[in-house]
Amino acid sequence: MVRWNRLAGVLSPLVAVAAAFLVGGLVVLAIGESPIRIYAILFRGAFGSVDGVGHVLFNACPLIFAGLAVAFAFRAGLFNIGGEGQLYIGSFVCAWAGLALVGVPAWIAIPLLILAAAAGGGLWASIPGVLKARFGVHEVINTIMMNFIAIGLTSYLVINVFKEAGQMTPQTVEITAGQLPRLAGPLRAIGIPLPLANPLNASILIALAAIWLAWFILYRTTFGYEVRAVGLNPQAAENAGINVRRTIVLAMVVSGAFAGLVATNEIMGFRHRFLDNFSSGLGFMGIAVALLGKNTPVGVLFAALLFGVLNTGALEVDVFTDVPRELILVLQAVTIILVVVGNEVLARKLRAREARVALEAAGEAS
Amino acid sequence: MFELVVLDSALRMATPLIFAALGGIFSERSGVINIALEGILLTGAFASVVVTYYTGDPWAGAFAGVFAGMLISLIHAIVSIVFRADQIVSGVAINLLAMGATQFLTWIIWGSSANSPPVQGMAHWGLPESWGAIARGVNAVIGHYPPLVYIALASVVVAQVVLFRTPFGLRLRATGEHPEAVDTLGVSVVRMRFSGVLLSGALAGLGGAFLALNTHQFVKNMSAGRGYIALAAMIFGKWNPIGALGACLLFGYAEAVQMGLQGRDVPTQFVQMIPYVLTMVALVGVIGRARPPAAIGKPY
Amino acid sequence: MAGGPAIEMRGITKRYPRVVANDRVDLEVADGEIHAIVGENGAGKSTLMKVLYGLTPADAGVIRLKGKKLEKHRPADAIRAGLGMVHQHFMLVDTLTVAENVILGEEPRRNGVLIDAAAARERVESLSAEYGFELDPAEYIENLSVGLEQRVEIVKVLYRGADVLILDEPTGVLTPQEVKELFVILRALRNSGRTIVFITHKLDEVIELADRVTVMRDGRVAGVVEASATTKEELARMMVGRDVLLRVSKDVAAPGPTVLEVAGLTAVGRKGREVLSGIDFEIRAGEVLGIAGVQGNGQTELVEVITGLRKAAGGRVFLNATDITNRSPRQIRDLGVAHVPEDRQARGLVLGFTIAENIALGRHHREPYSRHGHLRLDAMREHAAELIDENDLKPRDPDAEARHLSGGNQQKLIVAREFDCEPSLLVASQPTRGVDIGAIEFVHQSLLGMRDAGAAVLLVSAELSEIMTLADRIIVMYGGRIVAAFDGGSVSEEELGVFMTGAGGGGGAGAGEGAGEAGRAGTPDGTGAPEAMH
Amino acid sequence: NTGDDATEVDAFRVGMVFDVGGKGDKSFNDSAYRGLLRAADDFEVEHTEFEPGQDADRETGLRKLAQAGYDVIIGVGFLFSEAMRNVAVDYPDVNFACVDFDVRPGETLPPNLAGLRFREEEGSFLVGVLAAMYSKTGRLGFVGGMDIPLIHKFEAGYVAGARYVDPGISTTVAYAGTTPQAFADPARGKELALLQFGRGVDVIYHASGSTGNGVIEAAKEVGKTAIGVDSNQNYMAPGNVLTSMVKKVDNAVYMTVQAALEGTFEGGLREFGLEDEGIGYAVDQYNEDLITDEMLAKVEEAKAAIVAGEIVVPKR
Ligand SMILES: Nc1ncnc2c1ncn2[C@@H]1O[C@H](COP(=O)(O)OP(=O)(O)OP(=O)(O)O)[C@@H](O)[C@H]1O
Ligand SMILES: Nc1ncnc2c1ncn2[C@@H]1O[C@H](COP(=O)(O)OP(=O)(O)OP(=O)(O)O)[C@@H](O)[C@H]1O
Ligand SMILES: [Mg+2]
Ligand SMILES: [Mg+2]
């Protein structure tokens, strides 16, 4: 029965995704387009070429970080809606460090910038963490408020303090220190024809490492054990001598650090500048990714890949058809709703099954 | 700072917040967290513009806003009450859905996913000027703001009475505190929670309608975080209509002051942070000890 | 006993995952009688009543109320049919007033829409006057004692015009005096023509109050007897299915040096009320100190202060002469204090963790479970497997989630874990609450084993008989103070009961206060502070 | 007007990518779109448009269009500058044009990339002149969209124009925000305008995309006047829109398509100002009653002075 549980746990999101596509197809049909054509274009965009696959990974990369941020906090019983703010601050601090380290060789600069990104996001997330731990203020509201504040703050800094001189675009000058290499070169060397212009860069490797790290912290360290205990039952955790407040703050810091690592893709790997307002809701998509991935590190990977596929395909659909990208947003929302509903229905089915088994067992006994 | 124009502006800025916060109160008092207010506002705004666009009647539009708000909150109700899924998750998904669907439909109807054409706004209430001084006097009282501003204020009073003076309100509050108790007394928890969530959809939908009709247009994502601010106002006001009204006025005022302060050498970005910082400070200082309905967020 | 039966249930079956709570149960309650239902924990009593009341649908069976068939009914239908239920866990809304709780769902109206508050107040006043309840309709439930809460529940039922009353374990949380008062009320109700079903674990009460008794075992009916024609022993045998030893044998204590010393301890609760006032006592190695008292008189807070979960406002706590006042729970644990918390699911276990992970809880940061911050899962599993064997835990799988364990096994898991660390002080709160006789025996034997191995044991229990059986010395708490102290065996349950209500003489600080003003039960998270008495 | 197959490349195809605010903003983006539609009509070219969702999509989207064989690709808004720069060098056969191109000091553009820039400050100066002459209270207002240097140009020109008429005139300045959303928030635009009107301002110039719809709405509501931007917005509230500072993005787009079609496309920076009618102010049947001959004379005088270089309009 346990095996069946697990299988069902994997199957239910898949079924939900399929059902969401069905709903999306109906919507497309309703506006007089052919769902088959639209989906064909969508998947051609994502899988039709090495370039497309590269874009899928590139698009999935920041979602992995944002998703891990939400999932990790969730394990501590915290709902971190502040990924957006944390990734802005993390990216800004990363950019700042990059500007300060001009001329420093990559092997020193890269680790420092990664650290700066994590520290920035972590620090920002520590504020709602402390407010929660110290004053019991619900983190949902504070993280939302701090998103607005982070966006305003970085906006001020980039426009009024760090902007490239003589430019309208609200962005910093190019950050030459600590750039992550793009992967097209190495991949071509081993025979994978990724176009040189493809933005896929080494940040995806950091993302994969982050997934492993999140898993390792949660399930192989004392701290992770405490995080999970606090998330599942703070009172029991307290009784067991775990410092619940400290764990909450630290969990928020780790969560924010993951969010901050979005900078490795945006700042270090792709744009090499901090652009005001670059994110357009990555932090919020992280929530969806985490939910879809059932708040496990590996689940986050797959959910981020799915969203990467959708986002990549969405652009293709947007550019080459009359159906706008918002269809994909609808698709993503429907997926989430169906996943949560599906989980609940599944859980009920399982309970009913257990009850039946119990009754049969009782029947045999008597 | 206490200029009349700033206060006027504050009241108008507060109006969508008031509707949404009242909505939040009804939902949360019944035990269902409603983070979907943001999406409901957006849906209400969109629907009101569509209907006003086709009928030319902003009141029909407002009605449509109410209806659409209820429709989308019905999803929240079904997912979180019938299927007992996590309420925050459901809310987040609905916000995403509202964002995608309104843009998608805007594109289908008007060919741009960002903007609707302008539509008729609501005429201010008032007597004909030809009636003389009396009319002018009356108009000064009821004609100064768009009608929905008055309706928002009236809704606060009605909500307060409904919550604390009627059987429905008593049952609703009890449902949010102790659903089992309500159930054992023969009152359907599911029905109470549906009522709470649908009412929140109606109210927040009307808030969205105000937002759009007051600007005579739908613009993508025009709720712009107001649903979240309303949520904060609701908590700030300790889940009481009157309290929430106070909080909404405070936020509206902060925003109005912020707009009025501009051009006085304070960077825009910092001035714009005022409501958010204020909320955080208030949460720490005043609200930290506020007690939400005991059974909130727990499926029954 | 004129006419047909008031309640007739036939072949009721109700299954839950992993358990059949009611298995073809028949119940017949005559009109105008007091009918008791007894049975062990989990025997299915509450389930049967929930089915009757329409809270949970049965999987099979027929229900008749005063001859009328109830089908697929909801509580609303049951209420209309004249049924009223006082639940094991009170169904009161804390933030509402007495009157609001009473009228909820059947509100008197004014102008058709508004609640007629005046009428509500009058009805509550007249109903409580009728039975001498002395309830203030405008008081909030959160300010009431458990005894008063129960009266509110009864008024709720009477307000709805019920003539068949179900009371699920009404005496579990009451002092002996309150129980007496309740019985007076119940008899008065019967004499006014009402039918009463009441569930209890206390066989004395059954013999004293009931006309007839239905005994349940493992979800089935084990028998129906006339109360006047049976004995406690017979009922116990029917309940358990074998002869029951109602006594634990224990050797005389051989106390050693002082392990725990509490001096002048005070603590402050919510709203700044003093919840502990000047508590002084000590426990020596090799003895059991029992704390008796009605729930909510500071026992919870005392345990929390000792274990570091709550800050003391004044006074000192010493463990083996080390001052541990206001140290962190971890420091206190590391100094050799073990704690079996009163609410096993809220404080004792992480239900989402496996057995192995729960076994490590509290010592997870030390060898062998952790090394340099790295969790050692193998060590956890190995040790868990050992403890499972030693304590006969079921299931025998270290990777099973704690939530899938039965209540008794959950408690055994906590006891196994806490006793495993060879503490010098063991604090055990309500260690046998809600567990069945087999598990109780295990816990009691283990406690005495710890004592005999030289640990100091602080035992807090609402079960007077448990305290009487296990404790070498007994103190009674009332209103946050110690109001009496005895040597084990030198005092009777009745005497203890008197002190527990604060009515005892002997200069007890709480003396002279009415039982009605006793603090309300502490909530599991310890935030529900009792009212200070002065 | 779609082409999802890269091989059928008979027709001449134009791709357009929009900025924040999007199609239907009645202002900047719509102006560009109008130019595209006009070109499509006149030259029978195929066209497609899209609005990128996230930053990285700008470059990717441009590349997709280029790969699919589009002949001309037009980015509307300075946010496309960087992406255009990167993509243009990879597709030398495709003609790229970027409205409001954000040029780096000393940068030379590849021959297939045209940067289309406008001297908005010059047009803003002229509407400033009109505003100052029209104002009865002597208090002017300005509502900007996003608080960025591009919009500061509008503000600076406007203020200078007003001072040209009346050195003592006051201008109240407000910005809708610091995020791109500031160009698409009519609700905020309306409140900002009502605040300024409430404080005695009687003419407000907006440079804020669809946020400005709210400004115009407010003018209508309280019976004051607004000045439109980018597109001719006079029709939106006849009698309440004093004039519009038109930035003829439509013409620039039209000319770009035409040049590409005729093989005369030239890369490099191209600046449009008053002298070539790339910038102007609008007088039409909707506002002719508001503009007196005296005002017309004065504004034409200023225009001539600017074109002649006698007035140098500040940019910040
Ligand atoms: N909602 C439920 N879901 C699953 N199992 C349940 C549920 N309610 C009760 N049970 C199980 O049904 C059985 C009977 O429970 P019930 O509450 O009727 O026992 P009881 O006789 O009232 O016990 P107690 O004396 O402890 O109150 C128990 O094994 C219990 O665990
Ligand atoms: N509320 C509940 N929800 C789900 N399962 C439950 C619930 N209550 C009990 N169970 C399951 O029912 C089974 C029986 O539980 P119960 O507590 O009645 O055990 P028990 O027979 O009394 O055992 P023990 O003697 O160890 O206490 C357990 O396996 C438990 O997992
Ligand atoms: Mg029971
Ligand atoms: Mg049991």
Side-chain angles (χ1 to χ4, degrees):
Chain A
M1 183 155 349
V2 169
R3 257 220 327 267
W4 200 77
N5 275 353
R6 219 169 258 172
L7 184 67
V10 173
L11 273 178
S12 76
L14 289 182
V15 172
V17 170
F21 269 91
L22 209 69
V23 173
L26 291 178
V27 172
V28 172
L29 208 60
I31 61 168
E33 280 272 3
S34 151
I36 296 183
R37 186 177 92 97
I38 298 296
Y39 284 144
I41 291 171
L42 194 151
F43 285 111
R44 188 192 68 191
F47 298 118
S49 62
V50 179
D51 192 31
V53 175
H55 271 102
V56 167
L57 294 176
F58 173 76
N59 281 329
C61 181
L63 291 176
I64 291 175
F65 293 121
L68 283 179
V70 177
F72 194 91
F74 193 88
R75 288 285 155 191
L78 299 163
F79 197 49
N80 180 10
I81 307 196
E84 188 79 353
Q86 290 144 24
L87 71 86
Y88 270 109
I89 299 289
S91 298
F92 192 85
V93 173
C94 174
W96 193 11
L99 292 172
L101 294 177
V102 178
V104 173
W107 63 273
I108 301 177
I110 287 178
L112 284 179
L113 260 63
I114 293 176
L115 229 65
L123 209 70
W124 197 249
S126 73
I127 298 173
V130 168
L131 293 180
K132 163 104 177 182
R134 180 76 186 74
F135 302 101
V137 188
H138 202 292
E139 72 280 0
V140 164
I141 306 262
N142 273 336
T143 49
I144 290 172
M145 297 297 136
M146 290 191 63
N147 284 338
F148 292 116
I149 297 175
I151 292 170
L153 191 63
T154 53
S155 175
Y156 171 79
L157 288 171
V158 74
I159 291 172
N160 298 310
V161 187
F162 288 93
K163 197 171 65 65
E164 184 177 18
Q167 287 283 284
M168 287 187 282
T169 314
Q171 62 182 12
T172 62
V173 296
E174 184 167 6
I175 298 156
T176 49
Q179 293 195 351
L180 289 175
R182 294 210 171 179
L183 294 187
L187 285 178
R188 290 171 86 91
I190 59 166
I192 300 171
L194 188 68
L196 285 172
N198 193 287
L200 184 66
N201 58 75
S203 174
I204 187 73
L205 304 177
I206 299 178
L208 294 176
I211 285 173
W212 176 84
L213 185 68
W215 171 85
F216 184 81
I217 293 177
L218 280 174
Y219 298 102
R220 289 293 181 274
T221 67
T222 316
F223 168 62
Y225 174 94
E226 298 194 344
V227 166
R228 287 183 296 129
V230 167
L232 288 166
N233 187 345
Q235 290 185 29
E238 185 191 16
N239 191 45
I242 294 170
N243 188 332
V244 175
R245 292 178 171 190
R246 203 190 59 188
T247 307
I248 284 177
V249 174
L250 287 180
M252 276 307 281
V253 168
V254 174
S255 166
F258 280 126
L261 286 177
V262 166
T264 59
N265 191 47
E266 173 67 22
I267 307 288
M268 300 172 65
F270 170 58
R271 182 172 261 281
H272 308 308
R273 296 163 185 277
F274 183 97
L275 170 71
D276 188 21
N277 273 294
F278 69 84
S279 154
S280 63
L282 280 171
F284 295 104
M285 290 316 282
I287 300 171
V289 166
L291 295 175
L292 202 58
K294 301 203 163 170
N295 295 302
T296 65
V298 176
V300 163
L301 172 63
F302 285 106
L305 285 174
L306 172 70
F307 277 32
V309 168
L310 290 178
N311 286 342
T312 306
L315 184 65
E316 193 88 359
V317 170
D318 201 9
V319 173
F320 293 117
T321 76
D322 271 354
V323 178
R325 63 180 315 106
E326 282 72 32
L327 172 70
I328 305 302
L329 225 70
V330 175
L331 214 62
Q332 288 169 338
V334 173
T335 307
I336 296 168
I337 292 174
L338 291 177
V339 166
V340 290
V341 168
N343 285 345
E344 196 48 48
V345 170
L346 190 81
R348 274 189 212 181
K349 281 262 149 59
L350 286 179
R351 275 200 296 272
R353 225 176 97 102
E354 281 181 28
R356 223 172 30 246
V357 171
L359 188 73
E360 277 153 20
E364 277 158 27
S366 59
Chain B
M1 194 123 310
F2 288 99
E3 283 171 275
L4 199 58
V5 279
V6 174
L7 296 178
D8 274 358
S9 183
L11 190 52
R12 280 189 306 262
M13 303 299 273
T15 298
L17 300 182
I18 293 171
F19 280 122
L22 287 181
I25 290 172
F26 278 106
S27 176
E28 303 220 337
R29 281 282 186 172
S30 80
V32 181
I33 297 177
N34 202 345
I35 218 170
L37 289 178
E38 176 76 6
I40 301 174
L41 274 174
L42 199 57
T43 311
F46 172 76
S48 70
V49 168
V50 172
V51 169
T52 309
Y53 178 78
Y54 285 112
T55 64
D57 179 359
W59 285 98
F63 193 76
V66 170
F67 185 74
M70 290 175 78
L71 212 63
I72 195 157
S73 66
L74 185 65
I75 301 179
H76 187 45
I78 291 174
V79 172
S80 60
I81 301 171
V82 177
F83 289 106
R84 302 209 292 271
D86 187 282
Q87 297 168 0
I88 294 183
V89 173
S90 165
V92 168
I94 285 172
N95 288 341
L96 208 60
L97 180 67
M99 203 153 82
T102 54
Q103 286 178 47
F104 187 68
L105 292 171
T106 306
W107 172 84
I108 288 176
I109 300 175
W110 295 297
S112 152
S113 56
N115 300 289
S116 81
V119 296
Q120 182 82 44
M122 277 187 189
H124 285 214
W125 275 332
L127 303 171
E129 289 282 328
S130 57
W131 289 18
I134 296 176
R136 276 196 296 280
V138 171
N139 292 356
V141 178
I142 61 157
H144 189 60
Y145 301 103
L148 285 177
V149 172
Y150 301 102
I151 293 180
L153 295 176
S155 301
V156 172
V157 178
V158 172
Q160 187 82 15
V161 170
V162 165
L163 267 183
F164 295 101
R165 295 272 179 274
T166 67
F168 172 79
L170 179 63
R171 293 171 187 194
L172 194 79
R173 286 183 290 138
T175 307
E177 290 288 338
H178 197 338
E180 291 87 355
V182 172
D183 198 10
T184 57
L185 293 176
V187 176
S188 161
V189 173
V190 169
R191 202 174 303 159
M192 291 315 298
R193 290 196 163 175
F194 261 86
S195 314
V197 174
L198 289 184
L199 262 176
S200 90
L203 284 161
L206 194 55
F210 172 82
L211 204 58
L213 293 174
N214 194 40
T215 36
H216 304 250
Q217 183 183 17
F218 178 79
V219 181
K220 83 170 176 191
N221 209 7
M222 74 183 304
S223 51
R226 287 183 178 84
Y228 297 117
I229 304 272
L231 215 57
M234 173 195 72
I235 296 174
F236 211 154
K238 304 196 174 184
W239 289 268
N240 277 334
I242 303 278
L245 170 69
C248 291
L249 291 175
L250 183 66
F251 290 153
Y253 181 67
E255 217 177 328
V257 165
Q258 177 266 113
M259 292 191 304
L261 266 184
Q262 285 194 18
R264 294 182 191 169
D265 298 321
V266 190
T268 319
Q269 291 94 340
F270 289 120
V271 187
Q272 287 197 329
M273 287 176 201
I274 291 174
Y276 312 120
V277 175
L278 197 66
T279 303
M280 291 182 64
V281 171
L283 282 174
V284 170
V286 189
I287 311 302
R289 292 175 302 273
R291 192 161 63 164
I296 198 163
K298 297 188 190 106
Y300 180 72
Chain C
M1 292 233 188
I7 302 170
E8 193 186 351
M9 300 177 83
R10 296 263 170 255
I12 303 293
T13 296
K14 174 72 196 175
R15 46 185 191 265
Y16 283 120
R18 293 162 210 266
V19 64
V20 183
N22 286 166
D23 188 5
R24 286 157 292 171
V25 172
D26 295 334
L27 174 72
E28 197 178 298
V29 178
D31 200 17
E33 76 168 336
I34 296 184
H35 192 105
I37 302 180
V38 297
E40 279 188 273
N41 293 125
K45 309 178 292 288
S46 298
T47 303
L48 186 65
M49 290 302 111
K50 284 184 192 161
V51 166
L52 173 61
Y53 192 63
L55 268 177
T56 36
D59 299 316
V62 180
I63 303 170
R64 284 201 185 78
L65 199 64
K66 289 175 268 176
K68 266 209 337 242
K69 200 163 166 186
L70 285 178
E71 256 174 323
K72 293 207 172 115
H73 64 297
R74 300 279 306 137
D77 308 307
I79 293 169
R80 219 170 299 124
L83 202 60
M85 182 153 173
V86 175
H87 296 265
Q88 183 170 5
H89 305 285
F90 290 161
M91 296 293 176
L92 295 172
V93 183
D94 274 357
T95 52
L96 300 183
T97 64
V98 170
E100 285 174 325
N101 267 283
V102 170
I103 61 171
L104 185 62
E106 215 159 288
E107 303 84 357
R109 292 176 195 227
R110 186 156 56 86
N111 309 329
V113 280
L114 298 183
I115 293 175
D116 189 341
R121 201 174 328 112
E122 267 165 41
R123 286 284 286 141
V124 173
E125 268 165 5
S126 73
L127 275 173
S128 55
E130 196 174 326
Y131 295 94
F133 281 179
E134 292 166 17
L135 284 174
D136 175 3
E139 186 60 89
Y140 285 89
I141 299 295
E142 53 193 353
N143 300 329
L144 296 186
S145 69
V146 187
L148 284 181
E149 282 186 353
Q150 188 171 61
R151 292 176 184 193
V152 178
E153 285 282 20
I154 294 174
V155 170
K156 265 168 76 177
V157 167
L158 297 176
Y159 172 81
R160 284 167 179 72
D163 44 18
V164 180
L165 276 69
I166 306 164
L167 294 95
D168 193 351
E169 289 195 32
T171 60
V173 287
L174 301 184
T175 62
Q177 279 69 21
E178 285 173 323
V179 169
K180 285 212 173 68
E181 289 165 19
L182 176 68
F183 284 4
V184 171
I185 293 166
L186 293 183
R187 287 202 186 93
L189 285 169
R190 177 187 56 188
N191 296 342
S192 66
R194 293 183 170 87
T195 307
I196 292 166
V197 180
F198 91 106
I199 297 175
T200 185
H201 285 292
K202 298 179 184 162
L203 302 180
D204 298 324
E205 297 175 354
V206 175
I207 308 282
E208 184 188 338
L209 184 70
D211 300 312
R212 286 197 310 151
V213 191
T214 295
V215 183
M216 291 188 69
R217 182 168 79 228
D218 283 346
R220 302 183 192 177
V221 174
V224 184
V225 291
E226 296 280 336
S228 52
T230 188
T231 61
K232 270 166 67 176
E233 285 68 25
E234 193 195 10
L235 286 176
R237 197 162 43 241
M238 287 168 76
M239 276 167 62
V240 187
R242 60 175 160 92
D243 282 325
V244 187
L245 259 166
L246 295 170
R247 284 268 157 213
V248 184
S249 58
K250 112 186 144 173
D251 300 330
V252 181
T258 298
V259 171
L260 178 75
E261 188 190 342
V262 175
L265 197 64
T266 58
V268 180
R270 226 166 21 124
K271 298 181 192 162
R273 287 205 186 104
E274 203 165 70
V275 291
L276 290 178
S277 323
I279 302 285
D280 293 292
F281 66 86
E282 54 174 64
I283 313 177
R284 299 203 284 166
E287 75 171 349
V288 177
L289 176 74
I291 298 188
V294 176
Q295 247 188 53
N297 278 286
Q299 303 96 313
T300 304
E301 290 78 7
L302 174 62
V303 166
E304 285 176 350
V305 171
I306 292 172
T307 53
L309 295 168
R310 175 187 284 269
K311 290 264 172 285
R316 289 262 155 282
V317 182
F318 298 95
L319 182 75
N320 295 321
T322 311
D323 188 346
I324 60 164
T325 323
N326 292 342
R327 297 266 193 109
S328 74
R330 172 161 295 174
Q331 289 172 323
I332 292 173
R333 270 185 176 272
D334 287 353
L335 284 168
V337 175
H339 178 203
V340 177
E342 64 177 17
D343 187 328
R344 60 175 166 263
Q345 297 200 341
R347 275 228 191 258
L349 292 172
V350 176
L351 290 178
F353 270 6
T354 62
I355 293 182
E357 285 172 318
N358 269 299
I359 293 275
L361 199 63
R363 278 175 298 152
H364 58 273
H365 59 294
R366 297 199 314 222
E367 301 262 10
Y369 303 130
S370 279
R371 188 176 291 162
H372 309 305
H374 181 252
L375 210 58
R376 301 182 63 223
L377 296 180
D378 296 343
M380 273 189 190
R381 282 210 197 87
E382 263 168 43
H383 194 67
E386 280 170 28
L387 286 188
I388 287 173
D389 275 348
E390 279 170 27
N391 296 285
D392 194 27
L393 283 177
K394 287 183 188 110
R396 310 185 69 81
D397 174 9
D399 292 329
E401 270 186 32
R403 79 169 79 254
H404 294 310
L405 270 56
S406 73
N409 275 298
Q410 288 177 353
Q411 190 70 3
K412 280 163 87 169
L413 170 55
I414 295 172
V415 169
R417 174 183 77 210
E418 297 298 324
F419 288 22
D420 179 47
C421 58
E422 291 168 12
S424 57
L425 172 68
L426 172 70
V427 181
S429 275
Q430 320 289 359
T432 59
R433 176 186 284 173
V435 302
D436 65 32
I437 286 183
I440 290 175
E441 252 171 12
F442 168 84
V443 172
H444 285 180
Q445 294 303 350
S446 306
L447 268 175
L448 290 176
M450 289 300 291
R451 180 197 77 162
D452 295 340
V457 178
L458 177 64
L459 171 68
V460 178
S461 176
E463 290 295 327
L464 277 186
S465 58
E466 185 165 74
I467 300 253
M468 306 279 295
T469 321
L470 297 177
D472 300 310
R473 289 189 295 121
I474 300 173
I475 58 183
V476 183
M477 285 187 70
Y478 176 76
R481 293 164 193 271
I482 294 177
V483 290
F486 307 95
D487 279 335
S490 71
V491 61
S492 72
E493 279 198 32
E494 282 68 28
E495 280 174 85
L496 283 180
V498 169
F499 283 99
M500 283 162 64
T501 62
E513 295 284 342
E517 284 174 45
R520 61 183 266 95
T523 50
D525 62 2
T527 53
E531 319 239 342
M533 288 297 111
H534 295 284
Chain D
N1 63 350
T2 65
D4 59 310
D5 196 344
T7 53
E8 44 165 273
V9 282
D10 300 317
F12 193 83
R13 297 192 299 177
V14 182
M16 180 170 273
V17 200
F18 289 111
D19 201 350
V20 189
K23 225 167 31 170
D25 69 350
K26 310 215 169 327
S27 184
F28 180 59
N29 290 291
D30 274 0
S31 179
Y33 188 51
R34 251 193 330 271
L36 177 64
L37 289 183
R38 223 165 67 215
D41 262 8
D42 291 358
F43 312 127
E44 293 183 356
V45 297
E46 279 186 12
H47 61 93
T48 189
E49 316 84 37
F50 74 96
E51 300 167 15
Q54 49 189 46
D55 174 43
D57 281 355
R58 287 187 239 266
E59 182 169 331
T60 311
L62 293 177
R63 276 186 198 281
K64 282 197 188 299
L65 288 173
Q67 265 163 21
Y70 275 75
D71 302 281
V72 181
I73 299 171
I74 300 169
V76 183
F78 67 83
L79 281 172
F80 292 99
S81 310
E82 183 117 10
M84 283 272 171
R85 210 177 262 135
N86 295 342
V87 179
V89 291
D90 289 347
Y91 297 90
D93 297 337
V94 180
N95 292 327
F96 293 88
C98 181
V99 180
D100 284 351
F101 186 80
D102 197 3
V103 70
R104 296 232 153 81
E107 178 182 19
T108 45
L109 301 188
N112 62 328
L113 171 57
L116 313 176
R117 290 162 62 94
F118 296 82
R119 290 196 291 273
E120 297 90 350
E121 69 279 8
E122 294 182 355
S124 301
F125 188 95
L126 298 188
V127 299
V129 169
L130 291 173
M133 294 185 74
Y134 183 82
S135 172
K136 291 170 189 64
T137 60
R139 302 180 71 171
L140 303 184
F142 176 82
V143 171
M146 198 172 166
D147 195 350
I148 45 169
L150 175 67
I151 307 303
H152 296 166
K153 281 207 291 186
F154 291 76
E155 180 195 330
Y158 177 64
V159 170
R163 293 215 175 116
Y164 173 74
V165 175
D166 173 4
I169 202 162
S170 80
T171 308
T172 309
V173 175
Y175 281 88
T178 55
T179 67
Q181 177 85 19
F183 286 119
D185 192 350
R188 196 171 189 84
K190 184 174 179 184
E191 284 305 330
L192 286 170
L194 286 177
L195 261 169
Q196 297 192 351
F197 287 137
R199 287 173 168 173
V201 165
D202 61 350
V203 185
I204 297 177
Y205 173 38
H206 90 83
S208 58
S210 62
T211 298
N213 298 356
V215 175
I216 294 173
E217 201 52 60
K220 200 160 93 182
E221 199 170 295
V222 299
K224 302 275 171 68
T225 44
I227 297 176
V229 81
D230 294 345
S231 291
N232 180 348
Q233 301 186 317
N234 295 359
Y235 73 97
M236 287 172 70
N240 295 108
V241 180
L242 178 62
T243 180
S244 299
M245 196 293 282
V246 280
K247 172 168 165 181
K248 296 195 174 135
V249 180
D250 48 349
N251 287 353
V253 166
Y254 185 91
M255 281 154 49
T256 303
V257 176
Q258 186 177 29
L261 204 57
E262 292 168 353
T264 57
F265 182 93
E266 275 182 51
L269 276 191
R270 184 103 171 64
E271 254 200 0
F272 300 90
L274 288 177
E275 55 193 342
D276 50 12
E277 301 286 332
I279 286 282
Y281 63 97
V283 180
D284 56 17
Q285 73 266 34
Y286 300 110
N287 70 335
E288 56 193 4
D289 294 345
L290 305 176
I291 311 260
T292 62
D293 291 344
E294 186 197 352
M295 286 161 73
L296 264 184
K298 185 83 174 175
V299 75
E300 284 300 323
E301 169 199 312
K303 181 172 169 184
I306 293 170
V307 171
E310 291 156 16
I311 298 177
V312 178
V313 184
K315 296 188 178 193
R316 41 177 301 166

